[in-house]
Amino acid sequence: MSFDQLLPIFLSSKPSTVPPELPFKFIGGFGLSSKDEGVLMVAQGFYAMFAQAVLFPFLAKRFGCLRVFRMAVISWPVLYLLVPYTVLLPQRYRIPGIYLCLLWRTTAQALTYPPNNIMLTNSAPSKLVLGAINGVAGSTASLCRAFGPTITGFIHSRGLGIGMSGLGWWVTGLICIVGAAESLLMEEPKVHNSIPSIIDEEAIDNRTMINPLSIDAAIVAATRPEDMRPEDVPASLKAFREPDDESAA
């Protein structure tokens, strides 16, 4: 979310004539028009479809969701560190540099969200709590969408005031380092969907509790004796009939 909020500002900001004081003190952007930014976003959208439909399934099948997730999450801090420095590249390399960053970002995003959702679903101990888990995850994501750009925008404004246009990027990169460290502690969740849920178990118990003999006996008991013929007696109950007089004798 912070990347999507910072990138348009970075691309539309006018280049600075103030000499940079490396490594951190410099300002300015690319000075792109809305049309040029739109072309970048369109190219990013087409590649995002390819990455999610082709690249992620291939890598997930080969390496597994957790490894793919780790590779993508670990790359995020490096990306946030490098993006502001693209403005310091020679003029001929600036646009290729920002295209490379967009390619990197779109790839990392395509390799982060799908495995995260898959592992979240597989970690549910039962289908009964799957909706609650997804609800909490969705609420947390919405909370980040609400406060993330606000906080990042505030930090970016403060950075411009002290001559550091990359401050918002670098602070977000530090937060990404925490997420990358947490990914190293994650384990591949076991798939619990194959285990019957509580509802399934109750259904199985109910099926075993219904005795067919009890149903046949109830039908016979509800029928008047004068209306009952021998052939009307269910086969399941004939073995439990009382012995006739000859057998008793």
Side-chain angles (χ1 to χ4, degrees), residues 136-160:
V136 172
S139 300
T140 305
S142 300
L143 187 65
C144 293
R145 291 188 183 95
F147 289 100
T150 304
I151 298 174
T152 306
F154 174 77
I155 297 174
H156 180 70
S157 299
R158 298 288 294 181
L160 292 177

Side-chain angles (χ1 to χ4, degrees), residues 46-58 106-107 110-111:
F46 278 111
Y47 176 73
M49 291 188 293
F50 166 79
Q52 290 198 0
V54 179
L55 185 59
F56 167 69
F58 172 77
T106 307
T107 303
L111 301 182

